[in-house]
């Protein structure tokens, strides 16, 4: 036995694109990938948020670029990939995290524009990016793609119809990409995270919002919300590494077992 042979979870020198890496789960992923040694292309729509991330990465000496880009547009996906290749010469991983939302709406009131937004930023945006990174990954015979679904697609939570449908479409595309591109050394997996505190900051103890939050975790196996850096990003890091090389086309519920309540 070779006791020096390590499980390959290190991402030293790996070039990874993280879409929507300026806040929430995406920002947590950026921070953890930076610690794992990756060089990063971070995208988002808001310039000031991108500048904050760039300052943070510069301060710790992590090679990076940021690009203001809306994932809903196919031409910006190609621009993200072109800028990444120009800066780093290769692409090892894509984390297709960005997704826009609409306010909670009952199915009977959903408008075409509500549906268009989640489809454009979810499955279409994910597909355009996957297509854009494909040539570079195929040429090198290795690639890791991580997409984002939602447990709401499984549970049909009222008020989230278009969002849930869009996230299920992402999971479906994940499986097709895994089958079509596996022979090129590319793995494609989907993460369904649970980390809501950054979207729904808990107000004063005893408030309605705090009660709703407590109820959400009352019958949860681990009894708590996921943390972007400590709970979600490590799973994504694993899926970007060589340690996950025999996993593809799968959905990972990174939700502390919350899906089991449904
Ligand atoms: N949080 C959860 O519990 C949860 C549960 C299930 C699934 N998910 C999935 O996990 C992923 C991250 O969720 P999150 O809660 O961290 O979201 P979030 O807090 O809303 O952050 C979304 C990120 O994506 C960027 N973004 C949004 N729309 C974009 C667009 N059209 N083009 C480019 N960037 C865009 C945002 O920055 P700008 O606004 O500056 O563009 C931001 O950086 C999403 O795919 C979401 O569907 C999250």
């Amino acid at each position: 036995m070779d006791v020096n042979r390590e499980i390959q979870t290190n991402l030293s020198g790996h070039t990874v694109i993280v879409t929507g890496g300026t806040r929430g789960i995406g920002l947590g992923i950026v921070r953890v990938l930076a610690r794992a040694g990756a060089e990063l292309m971070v995208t988002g729509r808001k310039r000031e948020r991108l500048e904050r991330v760039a300052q943070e990465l510069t301060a710790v000496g992590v090679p990076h670029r940021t690009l203001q880009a809306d994932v809903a547009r196919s031409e910006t996906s190609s621009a993200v990939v072109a800028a990444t290749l120009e800066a780093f010469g290769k692409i090892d991983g894509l984390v297709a995290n960005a997704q826009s939302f609409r306010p909670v709406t009952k199915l009977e009131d959903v408008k075409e524009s509500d549906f268009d937004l989640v489809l454009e930023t979810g499955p279409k945006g994910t597909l355009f990016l996957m297509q854009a990174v494909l040539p570079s990954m195929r040429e090198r015979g290795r690639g890791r793609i991580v997409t984002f679904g939602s447990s709401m697609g499984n549970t049909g939570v009222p008020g989230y119809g278009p969002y849930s449908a869009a996230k299920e479409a992402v999971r479906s595309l994940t499986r097709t990409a895994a089958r079509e591109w596996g022979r090129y050394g590319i793995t494609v997996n989907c993460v369904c995270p649970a980390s809501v505190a950054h979207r729904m900051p808990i107000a004063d103890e005893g408030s309605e919002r705090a009660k709703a939050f407590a109820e959400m975790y009352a019958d949860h196996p681990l009894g708590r919300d996921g943390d972007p850096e400590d709970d979600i990003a490590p799973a994504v890091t694993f899926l970007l590494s060589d340690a996950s090389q025999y996993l593809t086309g799968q959905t990972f519920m990174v939700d502390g077992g919350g899906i089991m309540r449904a």
Side-chain angles (χ1 to χ4, degrees):
M1 182 175 81
D2 180 359
V3 289
N4 294 317
R5 197 164 154 192
E6 290 173 12
I7 297 171
Q8 293 303 313
T9 51
N10 190 303
L11 295 183
S12 253
H14 286 220
T15 306
V16 183
I17 299 170
V18 182
T19 67
T22 58
R23 64 185 155 104
I25 291 170
L27 178 58
I29 292 169
V30 164
R31 288 174 172 159
V32 171
L33 294 182
R35 281 183 222 129
E39 44 195 29
L40 297 162
M41 167 60 80
V42 183
T43 77
R45 290 166 307 178
K46 303 245 165 65
R47 186 179 299 280
E48 53 293 359
R49 288 187 186 141
L50 285 165
E51 281 167 4
R52 274 203 298 273
V53 175
Q55 277 166 11
E56 201 177 312
L57 293 174
T58 302
V60 290
V62 173
H64 69 277
R65 295 287 187 280
T66 57
L67 196 69
Q68 200 174 3
D70 186 334
V71 291
R73 300 160 63 95
S74 60
E75 64 274 18
T76 53
S77 294
S78 343
V80 171
V81 168
T84 309
L85 289 174
E86 193 186 327
F88 303 111
K90 65 183 174 59
I91 299 168
D92 298 286
L94 164 66
V95 180
N97 164 79
Q99 165 84 55
S100 297
F101 304 91
R102 301 306 280 165
V104 176
T105 311
K106 284 188 287 182
L107 214 48
E108 67 212 56
D109 297 326
V110 167
K111 296 189 183 64
E112 190 174 358
S113 58
D114 299 331
F115 216 153
D116 286 347
L117 181 84
V118 291
L119 289 176
E120 279 162 13
T121 57
K124 286 175 74 176
T126 299
L127 174 61
F128 297 147
L129 275 156
M130 293 200 302
Q131 287 175 331
V133 297
L134 173 65
S136 164
M137 290 183 175
R138 182 169 48 196
E139 196 184 321
R140 297 176 66 236
R142 185 195 180 281
R144 296 280 180 273
I145 298 175
V146 181
T147 63
F148 278 76
S150 169
S151 61
M152 285 184 188
N154 287 43
T155 58
V157 178
Y160 290 87
Y163 172 72
S164 303
K167 298 313 266 184
E168 283 296 272
V170 170
R171 289 211 306 137
S172 178
L173 287 167
T174 302
R175 288 190 289 270
T176 307
R179 293 194 66 174
E180 292 189 5
W181 301 346
R183 300 299 171 100
Y184 306 140
I186 301 170
T187 66
V188 193
N189 289 292
C190 182
V191 163
C192 294
S195 175
V196 294
H198 65 272
R199 281 212 210 136
M200 182 179 138
I202 303 171
D204 306 331
E205 214 172 311
S207 69
E208 283 308 308
R209 182 173 274 191
K211 277 188 222 151
F213 201 81
E215 265 169 34
M216 199 157 57
Y217 288 97
D219 180 31
H220 181 277
L222 297 187
R224 65 174 179 82
D225 188 31
D227 179 79
E229 281 184 63
D230 295 336
D231 296 315
I232 315 298
V236 173
T237 305
F238 166 68
L239 291 173
L240 291 168
S241 75
D242 283 341
S244 69
Q245 65 187 8
Y246 205 51
L247 294 174
T248 197
Q250 304 306 306
T251 296
F252 294 88
M253 310 305 297
V254 188
D255 67 347
I259 188 71
M260 291 186 281
R261 291 167 304 170

